[in-house]
PDB file of all heavy atoms in Angstrom:
ATOM      1  N   LYS A  14    -112.102  25.591  49.971  1.00  0.00           N
ATOM      2  CA  LYS A  14    -111.860  25.283  48.563  1.00  0.00           C
ATOM      3  C   LYS A  14    -110.800  24.191  48.504  1.00  0.00           C
ATOM      4  O   LYS A  14    -109.710  24.342  49.040  1.00  0.00           O
ATOM      5  CB  LYS A  14    -111.372  26.530  47.817  1.00  0.00           C
ATOM      6  CG  LYS A  14    -111.082  26.298  46.335  1.00  0.00           C
ATOM      7  CD  LYS A  14    -110.602  27.582  45.677  1.00  0.00           C
ATOM      8  CE  LYS A  14    -110.298  27.363  44.201  1.00  0.00           C
ATOM      9  NZ  LYS A  14    -109.802  28.612  43.552  1.00  0.00           N
ATOM     10  N   GLY A  15    -111.125  23.082  47.855  1.00  0.00           N
ATOM     11  CA  GLY A  15    -110.156  21.999  47.743  1.00  0.00           C
ATOM     12  C   GLY A  15    -110.600  20.733  48.465  1.00  0.00           C
ATOM     13  O   GLY A  15    -111.628  20.714  49.150  1.00  0.00           O
ATOM     14  N   ASP A  16    -109.797  19.671  48.330  1.00  0.00           N
ATOM     15  CA  ASP A  16    -110.207  18.358  48.826  1.00  0.00           C
ATOM     16  C   ASP A  16    -109.169  17.659  49.694  1.00  0.00           C
ATOM     17  O   ASP A  16    -109.257  16.460  49.927  1.00  0.00           O
ATOM     18  CB  ASP A  16    -110.573  17.460  47.650  1.00  0.00           C
ATOM     19  CG  ASP A  16    -109.398  17.218  46.688  1.00  0.00           C
ATOM     20  OD1 ASP A  16    -108.305  17.766  46.933  1.00  0.00           O
ATOM     21  OD2 ASP A  16    -109.591  16.493  45.695  1.00  0.00           O
ATOM     22  N   SER A  17    -108.197  18.386  50.204  1.00  0.00           N
ATOM     23  CA  SER A  17    -107.135  17.715  50.970  1.00  0.00           C
ATOM     24  C   SER A  17    -107.611  17.222  52.332  1.00  0.00           C
ATOM     25  O   SER A  17    -106.930  16.406  52.958  1.00  0.00           O
ATOM     26  CB  SER A  17    -105.927  18.645  51.164  1.00  0.00           C
ATOM     27  OG  SER A  17    -106.206  19.630  52.135  1.00  0.00           O
ATOM     28  N   MET A  18    -108.773  17.713  52.794  1.00  0.00           N
ATOM     29  CA  MET A  18    -109.259  17.286  54.108  1.00  0.00           C
ATOM     30  C   MET A  18    -110.445  16.336  54.001  1.00  0.00           C
ATOM     31  O   MET A  18    -111.178  16.132  54.968  1.00  0.00           O
ATOM     32  CB  MET A  18    -109.605  18.513  54.948  1.00  0.00           C
ATOM     33  CG  MET A  18    -108.436  19.441  55.210  1.00  0.00           C
ATOM     34  SD  MET A  18    -106.987  18.608  55.928  1.00  0.00           S
ATOM     35  CE  MET A  18    -107.585  18.308  57.591  1.00  0.00           C
ATOM     36  N   LEU A  19    -110.644  15.771  52.802  1.00  0.00           N
ATOM     37  CA  LEU A  19    -111.637  14.703  52.651  1.00  0.00           C
ATOM     38  C   LEU A  19    -111.220  13.490  53.486  1.00  0.00           C
ATOM     39  O   LEU A  19    -110.026  13.233  53.639  1.00  0.00           O
ATOM     40  CB  LEU A  19    -111.739  14.291  51.182  1.00  0.00           C
ATOM     41  CG  LEU A  19    -112.462  15.241  50.225  1.00  0.00           C
ATOM     42  CD1 LEU A  19    -112.343  14.729  48.793  1.00  0.00           C
ATOM     43  CD2 LEU A  19    -113.929  15.370  50.597  1.00  0.00           C
ATOM     44  N   PRO A  20    -112.161  12.742  54.057  1.00  0.00           N
ATOM     45  CA  PRO A  20    -113.608  12.872  53.862  1.00  0.00           C
ATOM     46  C   PRO A  20    -114.298  13.787  54.866  1.00  0.00           C
ATOM     47  O   PRO A  20    -115.503  13.963  54.806  1.00  0.00           O
ATOM     48  CB  PRO A  20    -114.077  11.433  54.058  1.00  0.00           C
ATOM     49  CG  PRO A  20    -113.131  10.905  55.097  1.00  0.00           C
ATOM     50  CD  PRO A  20    -111.795  11.522  54.782  1.00  0.00           C
ATOM     51  N   LEU A  21    -113.544  14.366  55.794  1.00  0.00           N
ATOM     52  CA  LEU A  21    -114.179  15.164  56.840  1.00  0.00           C
ATOM     53  C   LEU A  21    -114.697  16.496  56.311  1.00  0.00           C
ATOM     54  O   LEU A  21    -115.843  16.887  56.572  1.00  0.00           O
ATOM     55  CB  LEU A  21    -113.202  15.410  57.988  1.00  0.00           C
ATOM     56  CG  LEU A  21    -113.759  16.237  59.161  1.00  0.00           C
ATOM     57  CD1 LEU A  21    -114.911  15.500  59.822  1.00  0.00           C
ATOM     58  CD2 LEU A  21    -112.660  16.532  60.177  1.00  0.00           C
ATOM     59  N   VAL A  22    -113.849  17.216  55.569  1.00  0.00           N
ATOM     60  CA  VAL A  22    -114.204  18.547  55.075  1.00  0.00           C
ATOM     61  C   VAL A  22    -114.217  18.508  53.556  1.00  0.00           C
ATOM     62  O   VAL A  22    -113.240  18.073  52.930  1.00  0.00           O
ATOM     63  CB  VAL A  22    -113.204  19.614  55.561  1.00  0.00           C
ATOM     64  CG1 VAL A  22    -113.659  20.997  55.120  1.00  0.00           C
ATOM     65  CG2 VAL A  22    -113.058  19.556  57.084  1.00  0.00           C
ATOM     66  N   MET A  23    -115.308  18.993  52.966  1.00  0.00           N
ATOM     67  CA  MET A  23    -115.465  18.944  51.520  1.00  0.00           C
ATOM     68  C   MET A  23    -115.367  20.331  50.903  1.00  0.00           C
ATOM     69  O   MET A  23    -115.589  21.351  51.576  1.00  0.00           O
ATOM     70  CB  MET A  23    -116.831  18.321  51.168  1.00  0.00           C
ATOM     71  CG  MET A  23    -116.998  16.898  51.646  1.00  0.00           C
ATOM     72  SD  MET A  23    -118.669  16.240  51.320  1.00  0.00           S
ATOM     73  CE  MET A  23    -118.685  16.324  49.524  1.00  0.00           C
ATOM     74  N   ASP A  24    -115.046  20.364  49.616  1.00  0.00           N
ATOM     75  CA  ASP A  24    -115.029  21.609  48.852  1.00  0.00           C
ATOM     76  C   ASP A  24    -116.404  22.267  48.947  1.00  0.00           C
ATOM     77  O   ASP A  24    -117.426  21.608  48.716  1.00  0.00           O
ATOM     78  CB  ASP A  24    -114.693  21.300  47.391  1.00  0.00           C
ATOM     79  CG  ASP A  24    -114.550  22.549  46.554  1.00  0.00           C
ATOM     80  OD1 ASP A  24    -115.576  23.021  46.023  1.00  0.00           O
ATOM     81  OD2 ASP A  24    -113.419  23.047  46.425  1.00  0.00           O
ATOM     82  N   GLY A  25    -116.434  23.545  49.294  1.00  0.00           N
ATOM     83  CA  GLY A  25    -117.695  24.269  49.418  1.00  0.00           C
ATOM     84  C   GLY A  25    -118.251  24.342  50.820  1.00  0.00           C
ATOM     85  O   GLY A  25    -119.184  25.115  51.079  1.00  0.00           O
ATOM     86  N   ASP A  26    -117.703  23.560  51.760  1.00  0.00           N
ATOM     87  CA  ASP A  26    -118.162  23.636  53.149  1.00  0.00           C
ATOM     88  C   ASP A  26    -117.819  25.001  53.755  1.00  0.00           C
ATOM     89  O   ASP A  26    -116.836  25.640  53.372  1.00  0.00           O
ATOM     90  CB  ASP A  26    -117.493  22.556  54.001  1.00  0.00           C
ATOM     91  CG  ASP A  26    -118.050  21.170  53.746  1.00  0.00           C
ATOM     92  OD1 ASP A  26    -119.111  21.064  53.113  1.00  0.00           O
ATOM     93  OD2 ASP A  26    -117.406  20.195  54.173  1.00  0.00           O
ATOM     94  N   ILE A  27    -118.638  25.414  54.707  1.00  0.00           N
ATOM     95  CA  ILE A  27    -118.325  26.592  55.519  1.00  0.00           C
ATOM     96  C   ILE A  27    -117.844  26.078  56.872  1.00  0.00           C
ATOM     97  O   ILE A  27    -118.536  25.293  57.528  1.00  0.00           O
ATOM     98  CB  ILE A  27    -119.544  27.503  55.719  1.00  0.00           C
ATOM     99  CG1 ILE A  27    -120.083  28.000  54.375  1.00  0.00           C
ATOM    100  CG2 ILE A  27    -119.183  28.682  56.632  1.00  0.00           C
ATOM    101  CD1 ILE A  27    -119.168  28.957  53.650  1.00  0.00           C
ATOM    102  N   ILE A  28    -116.659  26.500  57.277  1.00  0.00           N
ATOM    103  CA  ILE A  28    -116.134  26.077  58.574  1.00  0.00           C
ATOM    104  C   ILE A  28    -116.167  27.242  59.552  1.00  0.00           C
ATOM    105  O   ILE A  28    -115.933  28.392  59.183  1.00  0.00           O
ATOM    106  CB  ILE A  28    -114.709  25.503  58.462  1.00  0.00           C
ATOM    107  CG1 ILE A  28    -113.737  26.519  57.853  1.00  0.00           C
ATOM    108  CG2 ILE A  28    -114.707  24.207  57.671  1.00  0.00           C
ATOM    109  CD1 ILE A  28    -112.283  26.085  57.917  1.00  0.00           C
ATOM    110  N   ILE A  29    -116.495  26.926  60.801  1.00  0.00           N
ATOM    111  CA  ILE A  29    -116.470  27.900  61.889  1.00  0.00           C
ATOM    112  C   ILE A  29    -115.202  27.641  62.688  1.00  0.00           C
ATOM    113  O   ILE A  29    -114.945  26.517  63.130  1.00  0.00           O
ATOM    114  CB  ILE A  29    -117.697  27.760  62.810  1.00  0.00           C
ATOM    115  CG1 ILE A  29    -118.993  27.758  61.991  1.00  0.00           C
ATOM    116  CG2 ILE A  29    -117.697  28.879  63.855  1.00  0.00           C
ATOM    117  CD1 ILE A  29    -119.243  29.015  61.204  1.00  0.00           C
ATOM    118  N   CYS A  30    -114.402  28.678  62.845  1.00  0.00           N
ATOM    119  CA  CYS A  30    -113.109  28.556  63.518  1.00  0.00           C
ATOM    120  C   CYS A  30    -113.061  29.428  64.758  1.00  0.00           C
ATOM    121  O   CYS A  30    -113.620  30.532  64.770  1.00  0.00           O
ATOM    122  CB  CYS A  30    -111.979  28.964  62.576  1.00  0.00           C
ATOM    123  SG  CYS A  30    -111.960  28.028  61.036  1.00  0.00           S
ATOM    124  N   GLU A  31    -112.405  28.931  65.769  1.00  0.00           N
ATOM    125  CA  GLU A  31    -112.193  29.692  66.999  1.00  0.00           C
ATOM    126  C   GLU A  31    -110.731  30.090  67.095  1.00  0.00           C
ATOM    127  O   GLU A  31    -109.843  29.261  66.896  1.00  0.00           O
ATOM    128  CB  GLU A  31    -112.569  28.862  68.222  1.00  0.00           C
ATOM    129  CG  GLU A  31    -112.357  29.601  69.545  1.00  0.00           C
ATOM    130  CD  GLU A  31    -112.659  28.734  70.755  1.00  0.00           C
ATOM    131  OE1 GLU A  31    -112.907  27.525  70.588  1.00  0.00           O
ATOM    132  OE2 GLU A  31    -112.637  29.274  71.876  1.00  0.00           O
ATOM    133  N   LYS A  32    -110.494  31.357  67.381  1.00  0.00           N
ATOM    134  CA  LYS A  32    -109.122  31.818  67.560  1.00  0.00           C
ATOM    135  C   LYS A  32    -108.565  31.257  68.861  1.00  0.00           C
ATOM    136  O   LYS A  32    -109.193  31.365  69.916  1.00  0.00           O
ATOM    137  CB  LYS A  32    -109.072  33.350  67.576  1.00  0.00           C
ATOM    138  CG  LYS A  32    -109.424  33.977  66.236  1.00  0.00           C
ATOM    139  CD  LYS A  32    -109.265  35.485  66.272  1.00  0.00           C
ATOM    140  CE  LYS A  32    -109.565  36.100  64.914  1.00  0.00           C
ATOM    141  NZ  LYS A  32    -109.416  37.581  64.925  1.00  0.00           N
ATOM    142  N   ILE A  33    -107.396  30.635  68.780  1.00  0.00           N
ATOM    143  CA  ILE A  33    -106.776  30.013  69.943  1.00  0.00           C
ATOM    144  C   ILE A  33    -105.295  30.309  69.941  1.00  0.00           C
ATOM    145  O   ILE A  33    -104.731  30.751  68.940  1.00  0.00           O
ATOM    146  CB  ILE A  33    -106.980  28.482  69.947  1.00  0.00           C
ATOM    147  CG1 ILE A  33    -106.344  27.874  68.681  1.00  0.00           C
ATOM    148  CG2 ILE A  33    -108.452  28.114  70.072  1.00  0.00           C
ATOM    149  CD1 ILE A  33    -106.220  26.375  68.730  1.00  0.00           C
ATOM    150  N   SER A  34    -104.651  30.026  71.057  1.00  0.00           N
ATOM    151  CA  SER A  34    -103.194  30.123  71.103  1.00  0.00           C
ATOM    152  C   SER A  34    -102.605  28.812  70.588  1.00  0.00           C
ATOM    153  O   SER A  34    -103.256  27.767  70.602  1.00  0.00           O
ATOM    154  CB  SER A  34    -102.716  30.400  72.525  1.00  0.00           C
ATOM    155  OG  SER A  34    -103.051  29.327  73.377  1.00  0.00           O
ATOM    156  N   ASP A  35    -101.367  28.858  70.141  1.00  0.00           N
ATOM    157  CA  ASP A  35    -100.730  27.693  69.517  1.00  0.00           C
ATOM    158  C   ASP A  35    -100.716  26.463  70.421  1.00  0.00           C
ATOM    159  O   ASP A  35    -100.787  25.332  69.944  1.00  0.00           O
ATOM    160  CB  ASP A  35     -99.294  28.033  69.116  1.00  0.00           C
ATOM    161  CG  ASP A  35     -99.236  29.009  67.946  1.00  0.00           C
ATOM    162  OD1 ASP A  35    -100.317  29.431  67.479  1.00  0.00           O
ATOM    163  OD2 ASP A  35     -98.132  29.350  67.506  1.00  0.00           O
ATOM    164  N   ARG A  36    -100.650  26.671  71.728  1.00  0.00           N
ATOM    165  CA  ARG A  36    -100.504  25.508  72.621  1.00  0.00           C
ATOM    166  C   ARG A  36    -101.753  24.629  72.650  1.00  0.00           C
ATOM    167  O   ARG A  36    -101.706  23.505  73.138  1.00  0.00           O
ATOM    168  CB  ARG A  36    -100.136  25.971  74.031  1.00  0.00           C
ATOM    169  CG  ARG A  36    -101.200  26.753  74.767  1.00  0.00           C
ATOM    170  CD  ARG A  36    -100.686  27.109  76.162  1.00  0.00           C
ATOM    171  NE  ARG A  36    -101.660  27.835  76.951  1.00  0.00           N
ATOM    172  CZ  ARG A  36    -101.816  29.145  76.927  1.00  0.00           C
ATOM    173  NH1 ARG A  36    -101.060  29.873  76.119  1.00  0.00           N
ATOM    174  NH2 ARG A  36    -102.710  29.735  77.696  1.00  0.00           N
ATOM    175  N   TYR A  37    -102.891  25.138  72.139  1.00  0.00           N
ATOM    176  CA  TYR A  37    -104.110  24.334  72.105  1.00  0.00           C
ATOM    177  C   TYR A  37    -104.362  23.720  70.728  1.00  0.00           C
ATOM    178  O   TYR A  37    -105.401  23.106  70.505  1.00  0.00           O
ATOM    179  CB  TYR A  37    -105.313  25.192  72.495  1.00  0.00           C
ATOM    180  CG  TYR A  37    -105.240  25.737  73.904  1.00  0.00           C
ATOM    181  CD1 TYR A  37    -105.215  27.103  74.136  1.00  0.00           C
ATOM    182  CD2 TYR A  37    -105.181  24.882  75.007  1.00  0.00           C
ATOM    183  CE1 TYR A  37    -105.148  27.611  75.423  1.00  0.00           C
ATOM    184  CE2 TYR A  37    -105.101  25.375  76.293  1.00  0.00           C
ATOM    185  CZ  TYR A  37    -105.093  26.742  76.496  1.00  0.00           C
ATOM    186  OH  TYR A  37    -105.017  27.236  77.767  1.00  0.00           O
ATOM    187  N   ALA A  38    -103.415  23.875  69.805  1.00  0.00           N
ATOM    188  CA  ALA A  38    -103.640  23.449  68.423  1.00  0.00           C
ATOM    189  C   ALA A  38    -103.211  22.021  68.145  1.00  0.00           C
ATOM    190  O   ALA A  38    -103.671  21.421  67.168  1.00  0.00           O
ATOM    191  CB  ALA A  38    -102.889  24.387  67.479  1.00  0.00           C
ATOM    192  N   ASN A  39    -102.361  21.458  68.972  1.00  0.00           N
ATOM    193  CA  ASN A  39    -101.772  20.160  68.668  1.00  0.00           C
ATOM    194  C   ASN A  39    -102.844  19.079  68.512  1.00  0.00           C
ATOM    195  O   ASN A  39    -103.710  18.906  69.376  1.00  0.00           O
ATOM    196  CB  ASN A  39    -100.789  19.758  69.762  1.00  0.00           C
ATOM    197  CG  ASN A  39     -99.816  18.705  69.293  1.00  0.00           C
ATOM    198  OD1 ASN A  39     -99.589  18.526  68.099  1.00  0.00           O
ATOM    199  ND2 ASN A  39     -99.218  17.991  70.238  1.00  0.00           N
ATOM    200  N   GLY A  40    -102.799  18.373  67.376  1.00  0.00           N
ATOM    201  CA  GLY A  40    -103.733  17.300  67.117  1.00  0.00           C
ATOM    202  C   GLY A  40    -105.071  17.737  66.562  1.00  0.00           C
ATOM    203  O   GLY A  40    -105.953  16.898  66.337  1.00  0.00           O
ATOM    204  N   ARG A  41    -105.255  19.022  66.302  1.00  0.00           N
ATOM    205  CA  ARG A  41    -106.535  19.536  65.839  1.00  0.00           C
ATOM    206  C   ARG A  41    -106.414  20.081  64.419  1.00  0.00           C
ATOM    207  O   ARG A  41    -105.321  20.375  63.931  1.00  0.00           O
ATOM    208  CB  ARG A  41    -107.040  20.620  66.794  1.00  0.00           C
ATOM    209  CG  ARG A  41    -107.121  20.134  68.232  1.00  0.00           C
ATOM    210  CD  ARG A  41    -107.506  21.216  69.207  1.00  0.00           C
ATOM    211  NE  ARG A  41    -108.921  21.564  69.084  1.00  0.00           N
ATOM    212  CZ  ARG A  41    -109.510  22.470  69.869  1.00  0.00           C
ATOM    213  NH1 ARG A  41    -108.811  23.102  70.800  1.00  0.00           N
ATOM    214  NH2 ARG A  41    -110.786  22.743  69.714  1.00  0.00           N
ATOM    215  N   ILE A  42    -107.556  20.228  63.743  1.00  0.00           N
ATOM    216  CA  ILE A  42    -107.578  20.797  62.401  1.00  0.00           C
ATOM    217  C   ILE A  42    -107.604  22.315  62.536  1.00  0.00           C
ATOM    218  O   ILE A  42    -108.491  22.874  63.190  1.00  0.00           O
ATOM    219  CB  ILE A  42    -108.798  20.287  61.613  1.00  0.00           C
ATOM    220  CG1 ILE A  42    -108.682  18.778  61.411  1.00  0.00           C
ATOM    221  CG2 ILE A  42    -108.908  21.002  60.267  1.00  0.00           C
ATOM    222  CD1 ILE A  42    -109.880  18.141  60.757  1.00  0.00           C
ATOM    223  N   CYS A  43    -106.633  22.964  61.901  1.00  0.00           N
ATOM    224  CA  CYS A  43    -106.422  24.387  62.134  1.00  0.00           C
ATOM    225  C   CYS A  43    -106.290  25.172  60.834  1.00  0.00           C
ATOM    226  O   CYS A  43    -105.935  24.633  59.783  1.00  0.00           O
ATOM    227  CB  CYS A  43    -105.142  24.602  62.950  1.00  0.00           C
ATOM    228  SG  CYS A  43    -105.169  23.856  64.596  1.00  0.00           S
ATOM    229  N   VAL A  44    -106.550  26.461  60.951  1.00  0.00           N
ATOM    230  CA  VAL A  44    -106.226  27.423  59.898  1.00  0.00           C
ATOM    231  C   VAL A  44    -104.782  27.846  60.122  1.00  0.00           C
ATOM    232  O   VAL A  44    -104.437  28.374  61.180  1.00  0.00           O
ATOM    233  CB  VAL A  44    -107.157  28.642  59.947  1.00  0.00           C
ATOM    234  CG1 VAL A  44    -106.726  29.686  58.925  1.00  0.00           C
ATOM    235  CG2 VAL A  44    -108.604  28.216  59.708  1.00  0.00           C
ATOM    236  N   VAL A  45    -103.938  27.575  59.125  1.00  0.00           N
ATOM    237  CA  VAL A  45    -102.501  27.821  59.265  1.00  0.00           C
ATOM    238  C   VAL A  45    -102.034  28.682  58.098  1.00  0.00           C
ATOM    239  O   VAL A  45    -102.513  28.521  56.964  1.00  0.00           O
ATOM    240  CB  VAL A  45    -101.715  26.491  59.257  1.00  0.00           C
ATOM    241  CG1 VAL A  45    -100.237  26.737  59.518  1.00  0.00           C
ATOM    242  CG2 VAL A  45    -102.286  25.513  60.280  1.00  0.00           C
ATOM    243  N   THR A  46    -101.114  29.591  58.368  1.00  0.00           N
ATOM    244  CA  THR A  46    -100.476  30.326  57.279  1.00  0.00           C
ATOM    245  C   THR A  46     -99.025  29.890  57.154  1.00  0.00           C
ATOM    246  O   THR A  46     -98.332  29.670  58.150  1.00  0.00           O
ATOM    247  CB  THR A  46    -100.537  31.851  57.471  1.00  0.00           C
ATOM    248  OG1 THR A  46     -99.946  32.198  58.721  1.00  0.00           O
ATOM    249  CG2 THR A  46    -101.961  32.355  57.407  1.00  0.00           C
ATOM    250  N   VAL A  47     -98.611  29.728  55.901  1.00  0.00           N
ATOM    251  CA  VAL A  47     -97.232  29.385  55.557  1.00  0.00           C
ATOM    252  C   VAL A  47     -96.759  30.421  54.552  1.00  0.00           C
ATOM    253  O   VAL A  47     -97.337  30.540  53.473  1.00  0.00           O
ATOM    254  CB  VAL A  47     -97.141  27.974  54.933  1.00  0.00           C
ATOM    255  CG1 VAL A  47     -95.684  27.629  54.617  1.00  0.00           C
ATOM    256  CG2 VAL A  47     -97.769  26.924  55.845  1.00  0.00           C
ATOM    257  N   ASP A  48     -95.727  31.177  54.915  1.00  0.00           N
ATOM    258  CA  ASP A  48     -95.290  32.291  54.062  1.00  0.00           C
ATOM    259  C   ASP A  48     -96.461  33.212  53.741  1.00  0.00           C
ATOM    260  O   ASP A  48     -96.627  33.683  52.608  1.00  0.00           O
ATOM    261  CB  ASP A  48     -94.656  31.766  52.766  1.00  0.00           C
ATOM    262  CG  ASP A  48     -93.305  31.121  53.017  1.00  0.00           C
ATOM    263  OD1 ASP A  48     -92.577  31.599  53.925  1.00  0.00           O
ATOM    264  OD2 ASP A  48     -92.977  30.140  52.333  1.00  0.00           O
TER     265      ASP A  48
END
């Protein structure tokens, strides 16, 4: 939901995510929680 990752990811897209450790996240598009 939302458009901050345009043009790669659009509102309504379904993304498939793989659970990884933090050390493999650098430079990649990730699911992140803040507070």
Side-chain angles (χ1 to χ4, degrees):
K14 180 180 179 181
D16 61 359
S17 75
M18 299 307 287
L19 286 174
L21 180 63
V22 184
M23 298 176 62
D24 184 272
D26 286 346
I27 300 292
I28 58 171
I29 309 299
C30 304
E31 179 183 7
K32 293 184 178 180
I33 60 167
S34 63
D35 290 1
R36 67 179 181 273
Y37 298 119
N39 200 21
R41 305 175 73 178
I42 296 175
C43 298
V44 175
V45 185
T46 56
V47 181
D48 289 326

